[in-house]
Amino acid sequence: MFTPVHRRVRTAALALSAAATLVFGTTSASAAPAPAPAPVKQGPTSVAYVEVNNNSMLNVGKYTLADGGGNAFDVAVIFAANINYDTGTKTAYLHFNENVQHVLDNAATQIRPLQQKGIKVLLSVLGNHQGAGFANFPTQQAASAFAKQLSDAVAKYGLDGVDFDDEYAEYGNNGTAQPNDSSFVHLVTALRANMPDKIISLYNIGPAASRLSYGGVDVSAKFDYAWNPYYGTWQVPGIALPKAKLSPAAVEIGRTSQGTVADLARRTVDEGYGVYLTYNLDGGDRTADVSAFTGELYGSEAVYTP
């Protein structure tokens, strides 16, 4: 039984007043000298989404491989920031609820420890029921303006990139337009130009995911990764990327059975794909769930260190 995307815990998508944003610690991207990262491992890139309304990003760094000591996870995704809509100015803007803001403001203790282990940290951006989405920017200039907000956030908080998740926009709300063919192409093009060496990933769902080409420009190659959005299933993302950058497998930790987790990991290796997606890593000891895929991907069980 797979978990469809609409069953994801989406409290991150609830709008919270910017005026109520909590400020904790520093926003500086600087950090203390990093210790040596965990040993390099061989095998697919493993990804962990973390619902930061309920769980700590630090959980991603608590799992290593029993054989060799490498990180069980290679990429940690902060879930989630939002694309909101200002009805006064009729423009989209990047919004952080108080929990996302807390993680970002405390980058020194919530993000840097993962990066020091060699784990990349991305910011997922999600619709927020307000009509603004990646697929309905009315002009190239509007798309570029939002791309700048994204790249500025990556620079300010010392992140490793951005993940696009085109759900819950509710296109048409607040008098907004329906999706158009140029919007996401302009957005991704501008974002890649702003941050040529950072990661851009695609949660392969929604109107934006099916609008990757416009006016002779195809932005598929501008993505570093794309993954299946339906947990407990195998579905190759419909984007022109090499297998090394795709995750047809998607699992929800604690809800997808360990047998299915292992089967999808085995198929990832057997069919030559380079990414394995997991969602909703929480604060419990999930050694058995994590080992179900690390055993197949890397030939080693996972070790949990609280």
Side-chain angles (χ1 to χ4, degrees):
M1 185 74 177
F2 70 86
T3 303
V5 68
H6 65 266
R7 290 185 61 189
R8 297 174 86 183
V9 180
R10 292 308 193 139
T11 50
L14 298 177
L16 295 173
S17 170
T21 298
L22 303 181
V23 179
F24 299 86
T26 177
T27 60
S28 172
S30 63
V40 175
K41 69 187 184 191
Q42 299 298 317
T45 297
S46 51
V47 181
Y49 277 87
V50 178
E51 290 264 14
V52 298
N53 283 348
N54 307 307
N55 298 295
S56 170
M57 291 300 296
L58 297 177
N59 294 330
V60 182
K62 295 179 178 179
Y63 296 88
T64 54
L65 301 181
D67 183 6
N71 296 313
F73 295 101
D74 303 294
V75 177
V77 185
I78 301 168
F79 189 82
N82 296 110
I83 177 171
N84 278 11
Y85 188 69
D86 186 322
T87 56
T89 62
K90 300 187 184 305
T91 56
Y93 66 95
L94 181 62
H95 172 75
F96 307 132
N97 75 21
E98 62 185 5
N99 300 300
V100 172
Q101 190 70 62
H102 174 79
V103 172
L104 297 174
D105 286 343
N106 287 276
T109 57
Q110 299 296 311
I111 296 171
R112 268 354 132 234
L114 298 178
Q115 293 172 324
Q116 290 165 3
K117 293 174 183 285
I119 298 169
K120 302 294 186 182
V121 180
L122 310 184
L123 179 67
S124 182
V125 186
L126 177 74
N128 204 8
H129 313 282
Q130 298 182 13
F134 314 128
N136 69 343
F137 287 105
T139 65
Q140 183 174 1
Q141 291 74 20
S144 296
F146 189 73
K148 186 175 188 304
Q149 292 183 51
L150 293 173
S151 57
D152 284 350
V154 167
K156 178 176 181 178
Y157 298 109
L159 302 172
D160 296 297
V162 169
D163 175 62
F164 286 112
D165 183 347
D166 189 17
E167 299 178 273
Y168 307 103
E170 297 186 20
Y171 292 103
N173 278 2
N174 290 313
T176 57
Q178 291 300 311
N180 64 67
D181 291 338
S182 64
S183 176
F184 196 44
V185 172
H186 291 322
L187 176 60
V188 175
T189 298
L191 184 61
R192 177 51 77 201
N194 291 352
M195 42 182 235
D197 300 320
K198 297 291 186 176
I199 294 170
I200 304 176
S201 60
L202 177 66
Y203 191 82
N204 189 48
I205 199 168
S210 62
R211 291 169 166 83
L212 301 177
S213 180
Y214 175 77
V217 176
D218 190 318
V219 294
S220 299
K222 297 184 185 298
F223 289 94
D224 294 277
Y225 304 114
W227 29 71
N228 171 15
Y230 298 102
Y231 303 116
T233 74
W234 178 273
Q235 184 180 102
V236 180
I239 180 173
L241 286 174
K243 284 185 171 184
K245 296 186 175 185
L246 297 176
S247 180
V251 304
E252 181 172 357
I253 293 176
R255 296 194 66 166
T256 305
S257 73
Q258 291 170 21
T260 299
V261 169
D263 288 345
L264 293 175
R266 188 178 309 114
R267 186 171 180 182
T268 297
V269 173
D270 289 347
E271 298 191 19
Y273 287 94
V275 189
Y276 189 85
L277 177 68
T278 76
Y279 169 69
N280 207 23
L281 181 67
D282 60 22
D285 182 350
R286 295 294 184 178
T287 304
D289 295 293
V290 176
S291 293
F293 69 82
T294 61
E296 299 296 336
L297 297 182
Y298 313 118
S300 174
E301 292 186 348
V303 175
Y304 173 71
T305 305

